[in-house]
């Protein structure tokens, strides 16, 4: 249990026993707190409640590595309760609003909601491996739901809460910022809206950080010594001036700078463990450890900015609620593939906005269902090496097969890839041949990998062979997911119509969700004759 389970338990231990000024300083090598303050407050509440049941669970220092069946039950129960308070209500409300926006009937909306709540990767990481990602994802869904309803200020509050619970929500931040900026600039400049959004966002951050900072001041008032540390946080050490450590502002600055240093670990490596992103895949053929961290950070930043630029530009120029999930998915995939210090569990972030597309217009059509389903199955598959270490093979198999059965995906059914456009399985239109070949090739590769991984021992000189193959195949598939989300965002935004002289009009025909693309030339001398082509 000396993994994320122990990390969460240890944070509860230090939150209830240490003064606030010590939270981000205490014994950092042993699962030091490295999440924002809202996670710390959450840990404090759960630690206090758990101590009422059994104080031994969170005894200071002596409880390290403590395991008991009742503690496991309690910790698992806290994940469920936290999820029922945040994630599930937010998912229900968002799905209802998004379905109404797309004109989706109640039956299809309900199927989409079940698929969102049954996401195998999310359940496996939070309820089996053990984390509280659904709290952060719930705040993100609440923010998106508020924005769909036109309540932008509430959207800012909820998204700030997501950022202050887990910094991974930054994967969505550029797209959210671009969307809000577009609403402030188009169709005309709205200074009042921009000012209100800025003030509410700043006030939300201040409200969440205030207890931590006031706690540091109170510890100073009680003459509790500041953390003994020979090395000041980098933010303080890099200042061109020396600070008076006896000044009244110093405890505030020290706590704030140390918390930011822990939240954004730029001193760590480019990636964490074996993760299916670009850098880890590149590392398999060209060792990146020969380079210093400084140039790697700069290159990672440039690549990340380049990958999220299309989504941010598109959603800022066309701030439409219906395409917001595409923008968030494209932006999150860009971060996952190219950003610094990525964990394998971060794949949950791009998978969420992709999966909620099932509840929108045409969400259960062949195209959307195939791409969303394939991305989720691939995401769960890349998590298998992590899950295997926790002896979670059976939950992995059960949840992924169940989810595939709900959406009619391989390996439970091939109807989506073999049916014609007139079949009920295809939703009125069949997939492109290239899509079928691509998806089925990956499904076959995943199945073959599982068989080989279980039956064949890797060579002595290459003990991580199967994990490396998992990383490379997963990264290639996620790059394709990024391309699909970005292209769908561009097409559905109308940017092609306005800026490239090509009119792309999505038309929904009939009750079965048939989607067509009409291409009409708009420039002078155009030879396009208003042809209508079926979009697959």
């Amino acid at each position: 249990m000396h993994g994320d389970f122990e990390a969460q338990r240890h944070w509860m231990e230090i939150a209830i026993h240490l003064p606030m000024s010590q939270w981000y300083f205490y014994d950092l090598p042993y699962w030091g707190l490295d999440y924002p303050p809202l996670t710390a407050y959450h840990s404090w509440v759960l630690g206090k409640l758990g101590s009422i049941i059994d104080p031994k669970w969170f005894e200071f220092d002596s409880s390290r590595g403590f395991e008991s069946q009742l503690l496991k039950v309690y910790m698992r129960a806290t994940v469920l309760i936290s999820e029922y308070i945040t994630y599930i209500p937010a998912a229900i409300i968002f799905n209802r609003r998004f379905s109404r926006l797309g004109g989706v009937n109640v039956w299809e909306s309900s199927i989409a909601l079940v698929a969102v709540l049954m996401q195998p990767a999310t359940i496996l990481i939070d309820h089996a491996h053990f984390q509280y990602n659904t709290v952060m994802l719930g705040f993100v869904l609440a923010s998106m739901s508020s924005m769909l309803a036109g309540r932008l200020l509430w959207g800012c509050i909820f998204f700030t809460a997501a950022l202050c619970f887990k910094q991974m929500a930054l994967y969505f931040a550029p797209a959210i910022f671009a969307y809000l900026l577009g609403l402030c600039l188009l169709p005309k400049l709205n200074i009042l809206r921009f000012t209100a959004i800025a003030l509410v966002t700043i006030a939300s951050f201040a409200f969440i950080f205030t207890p931590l900072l006031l706690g540091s001041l109170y510890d100073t008032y009680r003459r509790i010594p500041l953390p003994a540390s020979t090395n000041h946080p980098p933010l303080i050490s890099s200042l061109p001036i020396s600070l008076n450590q006896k000044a009244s502002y110093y405890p505030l600055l020290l706590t704030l700078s140390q918390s930011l240093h822990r939240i954004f670990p730029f001193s760590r490596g480019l990636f964490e463990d074996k993760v299916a992103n670009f850098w880890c895949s590149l590392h398999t053929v060209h060792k990146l450890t020969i380079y210093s961290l400084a140039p790697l950070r700069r290159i990672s930043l440039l690549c990340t900015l380049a990958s999220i630029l299309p989504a941010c530009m598109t959603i800022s120029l066309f701030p439409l609620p219906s395409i917001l999930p595409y923008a968030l998915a494209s932006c999150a995939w860009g971060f996952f593939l190219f950003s610094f210090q990525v964990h394998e569990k971060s794949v949950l972030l791009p998978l969420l906005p992709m999966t909620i597309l099932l509840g929108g217009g045409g969400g259960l059509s062949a195209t959307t269902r195939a791409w969303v389903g394939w991305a989720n199955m691939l995401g769960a598959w890349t998590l298998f090496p992590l899950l295997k270490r926790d002896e979670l093979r059976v939950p992995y198999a059960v949840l992924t097969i169940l989810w595939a059965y709900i959406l009619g995906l391989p390996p439970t059914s091939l109807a989506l890839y073999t049916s014609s456009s007139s079949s009920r399985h295809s939703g009125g239109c069949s997939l492109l041949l290239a899509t079928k070949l691509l998806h089925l090739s990956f499904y076959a590769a995943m199945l073959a990998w599982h068989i080989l991984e279980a039956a064949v021992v890797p060579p002595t000189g290459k003990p991580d062979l199967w994990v490396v193959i998992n990383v490379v195949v997963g990264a290639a598939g996620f790059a394709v997911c990024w391309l699909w989300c970005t292209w769908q965002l561009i097409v559905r935004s109308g940017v092609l119509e306005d800026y490239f002289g090509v009119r792309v009009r999505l038309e929904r025909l009939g009750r079965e969700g048939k989607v067509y693309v009409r291409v009409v030339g708009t420039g002078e001398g155009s030879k396009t004759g208003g042809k209508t082509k079926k979009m697959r």
Side-chain angles (χ1 to χ4, degrees):
M1 283 294 185
H2 292 278
D4 284 323
F5 183 95
E6 171 61 14
Q8 301 289 344
R9 190 213 60 79
H10 179 62
W11 295 346
M12 298 176 193
E13 170 195 338
I14 64 176
I16 64 176
H17 288 291
L18 292 176
M20 284 186 171
S21 60
Q22 305 279 344
W23 282 0
Y24 286 97
F25 286 88
Y26 182 73
D27 198 4
L28 301 182
Y30 186 82
W31 300 113
L33 181 61
D34 56 2
Y35 278 155
L38 205 53
T39 287
Y41 307 151
H42 180 254
S43 298
W44 181 85
V45 171
L46 298 183
K48 286 291 186 181
L49 293 175
S51 296
I52 296 174
I53 301 173
D54 191 343
K56 293 181 180 179
W57 293 348
F58 307 110
E59 285 184 349
F60 191 57
D61 281 348
S62 62
S63 63
R64 291 188 177 186
F66 183 85
E67 293 183 20
S68 72
Q69 196 61 36
L70 188 57
L71 172 61
K72 295 176 185 177
V73 171
Y74 172 76
M75 297 286 280
R76 302 292 183 190
T78 62
V79 177
L80 278 172
I81 294 172
S82 299
E83 184 173 296
Y84 270 89
I85 293 174
T86 55
Y87 183 69
I88 292 179
I92 293 172
I93 295 172
F94 173 84
N95 185 73
R96 182 182 302 164
R97 285 179 175 158
F98 195 51
S99 298
R100 288 175 180 173
L101 182 66
V104 179
N105 62 56
V106 176
W107 175 248
E108 292 183 352
S109 175
S110 300
I111 295 175
L113 178 61
V114 170
V116 171
L117 297 179
M118 289 291 294
Q119 266 188 282
T122 304
I123 295 177
L124 287 167
I125 291 300
D126 273 25
H127 296 280
H129 177 73
F130 196 86
Q131 281 195 346
Y132 294 96
N133 292 295
T134 48
V135 177
M136 178 264 295
L137 295 175
F139 284 134
V140 172
L141 283 175
S143 175
M144 295 176 65
S145 180
S146 299
M147 292 179 186
L148 288 184
R151 302 186 181 101
L152 302 183
L153 300 184
W154 275 109
C156 295
I157 293 172
F158 284 124
F159 190 70
T160 302
L163 287 171
C164 289
F165 191 84
K166 283 201 172 186
Q167 61 270 37
M168 291 190 302
L170 280 170
Y171 282 30
F172 302 128
I176 293 289
F177 172 80
Y179 176 73
L180 294 174
L181 183 63
L183 291 176
C184 293
L185 297 178
L186 300 172
K188 63 179 181 179
L189 181 62
N190 192 328
I191 295 294
L192 181 61
R193 175 181 290 175
F194 180 83
T195 304
I197 288 174
L199 291 177
V200 167
T201 302
I202 293 172
S204 300
F205 275 112
F207 179 78
I208 293 174
F209 272 85
T210 293
L212 178 67
L213 299 178
L214 290 180
S216 300
L217 283 179
Y218 183 58
D219 293 341
T220 304
Y221 171 76
R222 292 190 297 165
R223 298 178 183 247
I224 296 177
L226 292 174
S229 176
T230 54
N231 298 319
H232 291 296
L235 287 177
I236 291 182
S237 302
S238 61
L239 292 176
I241 59 174
S242 60
L243 300 175
N244 181 6
Q245 297 188 17
K246 296 182 179 180
S248 59
Y249 63 81
Y250 187 76
L252 295 174
L253 187 59
L254 182 65
T255 300
L256 181 61
S257 59
Q258 176 67 6
S259 64
L260 293 177
H261 172 62
R262 293 293 300 163
I263 293 169
F264 301 105
F266 290 112
S267 59
R268 299 184 191 176
L270 185 59
F271 51 84
E272 188 80 9
D273 203 8
K274 299 289 193 301
V275 54
N277 75 346
F278 174 77
W279 303 116
C280 192
S281 300
L282 180 61
H283 185 70
T284 62
V285 295
H286 180 73
K287 300 307 177 185
L288 299 176
T289 50
I290 64 176
Y291 304 103
S292 61
L293 282 179
L296 290 177
R297 283 197 293 261
R298 288 193 290 268
I299 295 172
S300 172
L301 175 62
L302 291 175
C303 292
T304 304
L305 291 176
S307 67
I308 68 175
L309 187 61
C312 292
M313 290 186 63
T314 303
I315 198 64
S316 63
L317 293 172
F318 300 88
L320 306 173
S322 59
I323 62 173
L324 183 59
Y326 291 99
L328 265 63
S330 175
C331 192
W333 280 124
F335 266 93
F336 182 82
L337 288 168
F338 299 108
S339 65
F340 193 86
Q341 252 296 299
V342 174
H343 294 250
E344 63 268 62
K345 292 155 285 192
S346 301
V347 75
L348 301 182
L349 281 89
L351 287 179
L352 175 67
M354 275 196 79
T355 308
I356 60 179
L357 292 173
L358 295 171
L364 293 182
S365 64
T367 301
T368 304
R369 186 156 49 97
W371 281 96
V372 171
W374 175 70
N376 274 274
M377 296 295 285
L378 183 65
W381 177 72
T382 60
L383 293 172
F384 181 80
L386 171 68
L387 301 171
K388 179 184 175 182
R389 293 199 295 266
D390 292 339
E391 300 294 334
L392 296 173
R393 298 180 186 85
V394 173
Y396 163 82
V398 171
L399 287 170
T400 52
I401 291 175
L402 176 61
W403 204 80
Y405 176 77
I406 292 173
L407 291 183
L409 301 170
T412 61
S413 174
L414 294 174
L416 187 61
Y417 294 92
T418 58
S419 302
S420 63
S421 59
S422 59
S423 170
R424 64 183 178 88
H425 296 287
S426 65
C429 61
S430 60
L431 298 171
L432 288 172
L433 179 60
T435 301
K436 293 179 180 180
L437 292 177
L438 175 70
H439 288 190
L440 291 177
S441 297
F442 271 86
Y443 280 121
M446 288 187 278
L447 181 60
W449 182 90
H450 273 302
I451 295 173
L452 292 173
E453 187 272 337
V456 179
V457 178
T460 305
K462 298 180 179 179
D464 295 330
L465 175 63
W466 301 125
V467 179
V468 170
I469 293 175
N470 181 287
V471 164
V472 174
V473 174
F478 293 153
V480 175
C481 290
W482 173 80
L483 288 172
W484 183 81
C485 292
T486 304
W487 173 247
Q488 289 295 315
L489 171 65
I490 293 172
V491 169
R492 294 170 185 272
S493 68
V495 65
L496 298 178
E497 175 183 349
D498 286 3
Y499 289 93
F500 296 100
V502 179
R503 179 167 299 168
V504 180
R505 184 179 301 162
L506 298 180
E507 297 179 349
R508 182 173 305 281
L509 302 178
R511 298 176 58 187
E512 298 181 358
K514 300 178 181 178
V515 180
Y516 291 79
V517 173
R518 176 169 294 167
V519 182
V520 182
T522 58
E524 291 185 7
S526 172
K527 296 182 180 180
T528 308
K531 297 179 181 179
T532 301
K533 299 181 181 180
K534 185 180 261 186
M535 187 181 80
R536 313 195 175 210

